[in-house]
Amino acid sequence: MNELVSQASERLRSQGGRMTSQRRLLLSILDSLGEHPTAEELLLIARKQDPDLNLSTVYRTLRWLEAENLVSTRLFAEGRRQERFDAALPSEHHHFICTRCKNVIEFDTDLLDEIKTQFQDSSGASVDTGSIELYGLCPDCRQRSIVQETGMEVG
Amino acid sequence: MNELVSQASERLRSQGGRMTSQRRLLLSILDSLGEHPTAEELLLIARKQDPDLNLSTVYRTLRWLEAENLVSTRLFAEGRRQERFDAALPSEHHHFICTRCKNVIEFDTDLLDEIKTQFQDSSGASVDTGSIELYGLCPDCRQRSIVQETGMEVG
DNA sequence: ATAATTATTGCAAATGATTTGCAATAAGGG
DNA sequence: CCCTTATTGCAAATCATTTGCAATAATTAT
């Protein structure tokens, strides 16, 4: 049994909730998927195993996970207003979004802490969390765009 | 005539567009407003001067400004999926969002450049833009929450 | 095990934010 | 001042997500 499923089971038990087959399926997909699916994408994947699964169930499960802090929700500026769900556990991590192919690369930095401190000190606010989004061309798209524009390979 | 209005007029001229009273009104509000209004909020403000102004016009104007890079669009994670429009010109700036009162404070940092470089070097991607969002309690709400929980004033 | 209790599901209809088609209106050039 | 056509207002459409409700299925007590 994977991390998310057992975490969730525990919480469900403690609050009189029930571990259903739908939840187990969604959780195991979320846990193993190295991506940030939308609710719809998650549904499509899950339906390969449970064709009757409903989109409302997907949303309800994701919202519950969100409330339990087991997934976080992001609205990358993709022109779309669709939410993406990130099952990565508490560790703070950030996202690079390729403006060409929309792929997301996660990254880490310890500089955010400095930024938090900087802002706290200058403003008097208290900062809990923060996130960074970078936009640009991923290595592949960058390569392609250089080849296209110059006919040359990247070194 | 303010900055945004003249910038926009120029662009309109060069592309055969027309400067209408509706656009002029919206632009002047956006230019002077030190906030990040939603389309609806902007409409409400604008209707004080032009009660017949329509929400579609507001959206169409904002989308055009967005395409011209004269405003940027943000989806702060407020539980709401409503867009907020930021007329601040190109200079990169970031946002702190108070999780209690939802107020937004803008801030600046030169550390983002380091983060960009860090990521570019380690990934091979090329980064154009980036934005940071911090969440926490603004000075006022922080003060109130401390008073409420301890009965004590903040030093 | 079995039945009773009630959390959860699937479906359909509702909601909230934004977009679009279209006929009427109004900028701006001639 | 007229003409062309970009832009507007309105209503209806769309997209993403949420909600009400009767049917179903996990758990709990029997």
Side-chain angles (χ1 to χ4, degrees):
Chain A
M1 205 197 293
N2 69 51
E3 193 56 24
L4 245 193
V5 176
S6 52
Q7 288 242 16
S9 297
E10 201 178 315
R11 310 243 183 145
L12 283 170
R13 203 165 311 121
S14 79
Q15 53 191 251
R18 295 170 188 181
M19 174 54 73
T20 64
S21 64
Q22 292 89 334
R23 280 179 181 164
R24 205 178 344 258
L25 173 57
L26 291 169
L27 291 165
S28 67
I29 293 172
L30 275 170
D31 187 72
S32 63
L33 203 66
E35 291 169 50
H36 305 76
T38 63
E40 199 104 33
E41 288 168 354
L42 187 53
L43 177 69
L44 246 49
I45 298 171
R47 278 195 168 157
K48 291 179 192 160
Q49 311 214 195
D50 175 357
D52 293 335
L53 185 67
N54 192 276
L55 187 55
S56 323
T57 303
V58 175
Y59 273 110
R60 281 187 281 230
T61 301
L62 288 167
R63 293 304 173 210
W64 176 78
L65 287 168
E66 208 183 354
E68 293 294 320
N69 265 300
L70 294 175
V71 307
S72 64
T73 296
R74 331 215 136 241
L75 288 158
F76 298 131
E78 306 167 57
R80 173 116 315 98
R81 253 152 330 302
Q82 207 172 181
E83 297 177 29
R84 293 194 167 269
F85 298 89
D86 186 346
L89 296 194
S91 81
E92 222 164 42
H93 67 271
H94 310 287
H95 299 92
F96 165 88
I97 300 101
C98 177
T99 51
R100 179 97 97 232
C101 70
K102 312 298 182 201
N103 254 21
V104 175
I105 304 176
E106 302 189 351
F107 69 93
D108 246 309
T109 177
D110 41 4
L111 290 172
L112 184 61
D113 285 333
E114 273 185 63
I115 295 177
K116 287 186 189 175
T117 309
Q118 234 180 38
F119 177 74
Q120 283 186 156
D121 292 351
S122 66
S123 69
S126 67
V127 177
D128 295 331
T129 60
S131 77
I132 304 174
E133 263 134 54
L134 300 179
Y135 294 88
L137 294 180
C138 69
D140 287 357
C141 289
R142 181 182 168 223
Q143 163 99 298
R144 269 183 220 109
S145 89
I146 296 176
V147 171
Q148 217 177 355
E149 276 155 38
T150 67
M152 291 191 162
E153 302 290 318
V154 154
Chain B
M1 200 198 295
N2 69 51
E3 193 55 23
L4 244 195
V5 177
S6 53
Q7 288 242 13
S9 298
E10 201 177 316
R11 309 242 184 149
L12 283 169
R13 204 166 311 118
S14 79
Q15 53 190 250
R18 293 170 190 181
M19 175 54 73
T20 64
S21 65
Q22 291 90 333
R23 281 179 182 164
R24 207 179 341 264
L25 173 57
L26 291 169
L27 291 165
S28 68
I29 294 172
L30 274 171
D31 187 72
S32 63
L33 203 67
E35 293 169 46
H36 304 77
T38 62
E40 198 104 33
E41 288 168 356
L42 188 53
L43 177 69
L44 247 48
I45 298 171
R47 277 196 169 153
K48 290 179 191 157
Q49 311 213 194
D50 175 357
D52 293 335
L53 185 67
N54 192 277
L55 187 56
S56 324
T57 303
V58 175
Y59 274 110
R60 280 188 282 230
T61 301
L62 289 167
R63 294 302 174 210
W64 178 78
L65 287 167
E66 208 184 356
E68 294 294 320
N69 265 297
L70 294 174
V71 308
S72 64
T73 298
R74 332 213 135 245
L75 289 158
F76 298 132
E78 304 169 57
R80 171 120 315 98
R81 236 145 357 294
Q82 207 170 185
E83 297 177 27
R84 293 193 167 270
F85 297 90
D86 185 347
L89 296 197
S91 81
E92 222 162 42
H93 67 270
H94 310 286
H95 299 93
F96 166 88
I97 301 102
C98 177
T99 51
R100 179 97 96 229
C101 70
K102 312 298 180 199
N103 255 19
V104 175
I105 304 176
E106 300 187 352
F107 69 93
D108 247 308
T109 177
D110 42 5
L111 289 173
L112 184 60
D113 286 331
E114 273 184 65
I115 295 176
K116 286 186 190 175
T117 308
Q118 232 179 41
F119 178 73
Q120 283 186 156
D121 292 352
S122 67
S123 70
S126 67
V127 177
D128 296 330
T129 61
S131 77
I132 304 174
E133 263 134 54
L134 299 180
Y135 294 88
L137 294 180
C138 69
D140 287 359
C141 289
R142 179 181 168 223
Q143 164 101 295
R144 268 183 223 112
S145 90
I146 296 176
V147 172
Q148 219 179 354
E149 275 155 40
T150 67
M152 292 191 161
E153 302 290 318
V154 155

